[in-house]
Amino acid sequence: MIGYVALALGAYALAVFGMWLGQRSFIYHPSPQRIDEARMRAAGYAPFPVRTADGLDLIAWYRPGDAGKPRIVLFHGNAQDASARLAIAEQAARHGYPVLLATYRGFGGNPGTPSEQGLYADARATLDALSAASDPQSGRIVLWGESLGTGVATKMAQERPVAGVILQSPYTSVAERAGEMMRWLPARRLVTDRFDSLSRIAAIDAPLLIVHGAQDTLIPIRHGRALFAAAGGTKSFLELPDRGHNDMQGPEFETGVRIFLESLAPAPSRPY
């Protein structure tokens, strides 16, 4: 009997160690292939070079839009690369909004290995590059985070003044979701890349839109509702009753995004 107990404890300890050691392989699923440039150009995007503070050269993708409209920076989720988010971005781009599809280290052929702090560094560098390339009179930025990218968008909105924030299928924290998915492991304590949006959401001083599918089983809608409850200021919540995690696109979502973007304060008038 003692031998069986020891064997079980050893197996559990091995599982805990394996989860801790390989946790980033659970969080990040990047496409290692270089992004399809022909596809991006056909969709109206051009390469947008970004150099990070730690010396990585990344390629984001920019599509211009109408003068005076805020630029949307879309931080994508944990799999594939920016090219897989063309349909998401199109819901704003077709209404004339300039869109920058941000990129991360290790994704889409970019150098480096993803991590929480690494993604924050990539996002900061992306916003710095966009600000440097923008007309100061039309430099308003809206952050749009999708899935894992909601943690990146929330962190950047906590750090910088922005015109608005859209969180699509957000989580309260990666640690919280890991604990829900792996209840038999002490996952909440073991996760190092935590992306703790719940602790940051109240500090966002910009209009906020949270969009969540009621049928989302990857990140249940209760996460979006918890973030909405904790957020202050101007905020709205769009629940899509028949949508899950990866099928958000549609007229209701697009209309909600368009109404939110149109509600944002206009750019200050240019002095004469």
Side-chain angles (χ1 to χ4, degrees):
M1 182 65 179
I2 295 177
Y4 286 116
V5 171
L7 186 61
L9 289 174
Y12 182 76
L14 187 61
V16 169
F17 179 72
M19 185 268 174
W20 174 81
L21 188 65
Q23 59 183 277
R24 283 181 174 158
S25 66
F26 292 108
I27 298 174
Y28 309 105
H29 302 278
S31 169
Q33 288 79 30
R34 186 161 295 280
I35 200 167
D36 186 343
E37 183 170 338
R39 181 186 179 196
M40 299 301 291
R41 289 187 180 278
Y45 290 84
F48 187 88
V50 173
R51 186 169 180 82
T52 67
D54 54 346
L56 296 180
D57 290 311
L58 312 178
I59 299 295
W61 294 86
Y62 183 72
R63 173 174 165 170
D66 298 342
K69 289 192 173 181
R71 290 162 168 80
I72 295 171
V73 181
L74 197 155
F75 297 108
H76 67 75
N78 73 330
Q80 301 176 305
D81 56 42
S83 67
R85 275 70 186 187
L86 290 175
I88 295 175
E90 184 62 20
Q91 295 177 104
R94 72 168 127 252
H95 297 289
Y97 290 92
V99 175
L100 178 62
L101 293 175
T103 190
Y104 308 135
R105 59 190 64 205
F107 284 75
N110 286 321
T113 302
S115 67
E116 180 179 8
Q117 296 306 318
L119 267 58
Y120 294 157
D122 300 341
R124 293 185 189 105
T126 300
L127 295 177
D128 288 344
L130 183 60
S131 296
S134 299
D135 179 342
Q137 293 296 324
S138 60
R140 294 180 305 150
I141 291 174
V142 173
L143 304 182
W144 184 336
E146 177 245 341
S147 194
L148 181 70
T150 61
V152 180
T154 301
K155 174 65 172 173
M156 293 304 103
Q158 180 195 34
E159 294 183 358
R160 300 173 180 234
V162 294
V165 180
I166 301 171
L167 301 181
Q168 174 185 339
S169 309
Y171 48 85
T172 54
S173 75
V174 166
E176 178 68 18
R177 186 64 187 128
E180 292 172 351
M181 297 175 73
M182 294 176 280
R183 297 182 183 277
W184 56 285
L185 291 173
R188 287 179 178 83
R189 294 191 218 173
L190 294 174
V191 170
T192 55
D193 288 12
R194 305 181 72 82
F195 292 96
D196 190 356
S197 293
L198 187 61
S199 70
R200 297 168 175 152
I201 194 85
I204 294 179
D205 185 22
L208 171 69
L209 170 65
I210 294 179
V211 187
H212 220 123
Q215 306 304 316
D216 193 334
T217 56
L218 185 60
I219 303 176
I221 195 171
R222 63 177 176 271
H223 283 254
R225 288 174 176 151
L227 287 170
F228 183 76
T234 303
K235 59 184 180 179
S236 53
F237 191 95
L238 175 58
E239 177 179 338
L240 303 178
D242 60 344
R243 299 291 178 169
H245 193 77
N246 295 313
D247 60 348
M248 300 283 285
Q249 294 81 22
E252 188 177 2
F253 186 17
E254 182 170 343
T255 298
V257 168
R258 178 180 56 78
I259 291 173
F260 173 75
L261 292 173
E262 291 174 353
S263 74
L264 300 179
S269 59
R270 186 186 297 271
Y272 290 94

